[in-house]
Amino acid sequence: FTVLTRAEIASAPVRGLMMIQADPRGTDRAMARILGLPEVTAVHSTNGTWDLIAEVGTDTLEEMDDVISLIRRFDGVTRSETNLLLTTRRPMRRLG
């Protein structure tokens, strides 16, 4: 599990999930470049329509737009869709 402190969320209040479709020959290269961005907290490989899902966090919507635009121009990235995270709720876990 992951614990997010209030300070971590405050340091990147604009958060989003960017679903990325990549050219099969360029997926590894695209993933490496995406992981090199300081605004990217994780990249997940997945199946289905999207090949990768990047978790992105920035201070402002303008910075988020800049990161999205940058990633879209990376070699190997053919298509993307980004959804901003508005609210995060976690289920209560029962102990025992």
Side-chain angles (χ1 to χ4, degrees), residues 9 15 29 34 46 48 53 71 75 92:
I9 292 172
R15 298 173 298 134
R29 184 179 50 233
I34 294 165
T46 185
I53 298 176
I71 292 172
D75 287 338
M92 294 294 294

Side-chain angles (χ1 to χ4, degrees), residues 90-95:
R90 305 214 183 271
M92 294 294 294
R93 303 281 185 208
R94 291 178 57 172
L95 300 176

Side-chain angles (χ1 to χ4, degrees), residues 47-79:
N47 65 332
T49 301
W50 306 108
D51 301 303
L52 305 170
I53 298 176
E55 296 180 35
V56 182
T58 63
D59 290 328
T60 67
L61 284 171
E62 184 177 9
E63 290 173 2
M64 178 65 75
D65 188 38
D66 290 344
V67 172
I68 292 167
S69 295
L70 177 63
I71 292 172
R72 286 180 174 164
R73 291 191 305 268
F74 285 169
D75 287 338
V77 172
T78 58
R79 185 172 159 231

Side-chain angles (χ1 to χ4, degrees), residues 6-43:
R6 196 174 293 278
E8 289 171 315
I9 292 172
S11 69
V14 180
R15 298 173 298 134
L17 298 177
M18 185 174 189
M19 284 71 72
I20 300 163
Q21 190 175 59
D23 180 322
R25 294 177 304 260
T27 302
D28 291 338
R29 184 179 50 233
M31 183 185 290
R33 291 195 68 192
I34 294 165
L35 282 168
L37 298 174
E39 299 87 357
V40 174
T41 58
V43 177

